[in-house]
Amino acid sequence: MKNKTKQSTENLNFIKLKQMYLFALITIAITVLLSQLLIQYNLNSQLNDSRLINISGKQRMLSQKLVKDVLILNLVSDTIKKNEEIFKIKETISLWKFTHYALLNGNDSLHFPKIKSTILSQLFAEIKPNFDSINNATSQLLKNHFEKIDLNKNQKIVQTILDNEGIFLLKMNKIVSQYEVEALKKVTLQRNTEYAILGFTLLVLFLEFLFIFKPTNKRIELLISKLLVSERKAIKLAHDTEVISE
């Protein structure tokens, strides 16, 4: 009766160890899976951040190109060259406006977020008057050249574009810098999160060793010891039996 009770207790202990072992394995698997998902998400986020910084930086180049094309248009007198410059200006301002509104309002095809930080929203609000002034002045300049009216006012319109373009560049530099700051914060957060996941995984492995592998190892050693004792007893019994038979 005592042997049956002891055997039943040992079976229950082994079942408990199996359950703990299974729980530890599942915990590690979930931790590794979550870590990979987080890493992939952060990598995609970093790619989007890099694209944001790159394209917002190109806004400065496009505004400078727009001013150069406007100045050339205002200086050339040849009709063919004027038409070429007007075509260039239309292409530049179209891309410039598209990119600006994509950064401002978000864009699904470019993976630009629709929700921005408070600082970025404020910076875009500050740059809006200069953006609108350049856009409106350029449109008016193209209209004047197309209709060939108010040509004497073009110099004033060009000056308006020049005045606002310098301020636009300064404010756009702040926006690019803010994108870089926020991207750096995300990278720092990702690094700290990965360290936390690594620490949690190591803790799970340590607890698994302490409460599962170590007790299991002791039980296996005890079982092997019992088997060896049983083997010696069996050999002795066989020997005694042989002696008695003789």
Side-chain angles (χ1 to χ4, degrees):
M1 184 70 179
K2 290 182 179 180
N3 290 333
K4 289 183 179 181
T5 304
K6 184 177 180 181
Q7 185 178 3
S8 177
T9 303
E10 290 180 352
N11 289 335
L12 289 174
N13 289 333
F14 274 111
I15 291 173
K16 185 177 179 181
L17 283 174
K18 288 179 181 179
Q19 292 174 346
M20 292 176 65
Y21 185 73
L22 182 62
F23 172 76
L25 288 178
I26 292 174
T27 303
I28 292 174
I30 292 174
T31 303
V32 172
L33 179 62
L34 290 176
S35 176
Q36 286 300 314
L37 291 175
L38 178 65
I39 289 172
Q40 293 301 319
Y41 172 79
N42 286 328
L43 285 176
N44 291 330
S45 177
Q46 287 178 22
L47 288 175
N48 293 336
D49 290 339
S50 298
R51 192 181 296 110
L52 273 172
I53 294 170
N54 184 34
I55 292 182
S56 61
K58 285 183 178 179
Q59 281 295 89
R60 298 174 295 187
M61 179 271 293
L62 288 173
S63 65
Q64 291 174 324
K65 184 177 183 301
L66 180 62
V67 170
K68 183 195 75 172
D69 293 339
V70 165
L71 290 174
I72 294 174
L73 175 64
N74 200 46
L75 293 175
V76 296
S77 56
D78 184 71
T79 304
I80 296 177
K81 288 185 178 180
K82 276 190 175 184
N83 291 334
E84 290 177 354
E85 291 304 322
I86 288 174
F87 179 77
K88 289 181 182 179
I89 291 173
K90 286 182 177 179
E91 279 193 332
T92 302
I93 197 169
S94 177
L95 179 59
W96 183 64
K97 287 165 63 177
F98 171 79
T99 306
H100 180 81
Y101 289 125
L103 292 169
L104 177 64
N105 302 318
N107 185 281
D108 294 333
S109 61
L110 295 175
H111 302 287
F112 288 175
K114 295 181 179 180
I115 301 176
K116 296 183 293 298
S117 66
T118 305
I119 297 177
L120 277 173
S121 298
Q122 182 179 353
L123 290 174
F124 273 103
E126 292 176 359
I127 205 173
K128 185 180 184 302
N130 307 105
F131 173 83
D132 290 340
S133 295
I134 296 173
N135 181 34
N136 295 333
T138 305
S139 298
Q140 184 62 46
L141 181 68
L142 293 176
K143 182 180 178 182
N144 289 349
H145 278 279
F146 180 75
E147 297 179 354
K148 297 181 180 180
I149 57 174
D150 296 329
L151 296 180
N152 294 329
K153 296 182 179 179
N154 286 347
Q155 188 63 39
K156 184 178 180 181
I157 294 175
V158 171
Q159 188 60 46
T160 300
I161 296 174
L162 287 173
D163 293 341
N164 283 277
E165 193 269 343
I167 302 173
F168 178 87
L169 277 179
L170 292 175
K171 293 180 178 180
M172 201 66 216
N173 285 335
K174 292 181 181 180
I175 291 176
V176 175
S177 298
Q178 183 60 29
Y179 275 126
E180 291 174 348
V181 169
E182 294 183 7
L184 180 60
K185 286 182 179 179
K186 290 180 181 178
V187 173
T188 304
L189 178 61
Q190 176 191 350
R191 183 173 64 245
N192 294 336
T193 304
E194 289 179 0
Y195 283 148
I197 292 176
L198 176 62
F200 178 74
T201 304
L202 293 176
L203 176 62
V204 171
L205 289 173
F206 175 74
L207 294 175
E208 183 177 350
F209 168 78
L210 192 63
F211 294 103
I212 297 176
F213 287 117
K214 193 174 180 180
T216 303
N217 184 57
K218 288 183 178 180
R219 290 183 180 279
I220 291 174
E221 289 178 354
L222 180 61
L223 180 60
I224 292 174
S225 177
K226 288 181 179 180
L227 289 173
L228 291 175
V229 171
S230 298
E231 183 183 6
R232 285 194 293 267
K233 287 182 179 180
I235 293 173
K236 185 177 182 301
L237 180 62
H239 181 267
D240 292 344
T241 303
E242 184 179 355
V243 170
I244 292 172
S245 298
E246 291 178 355

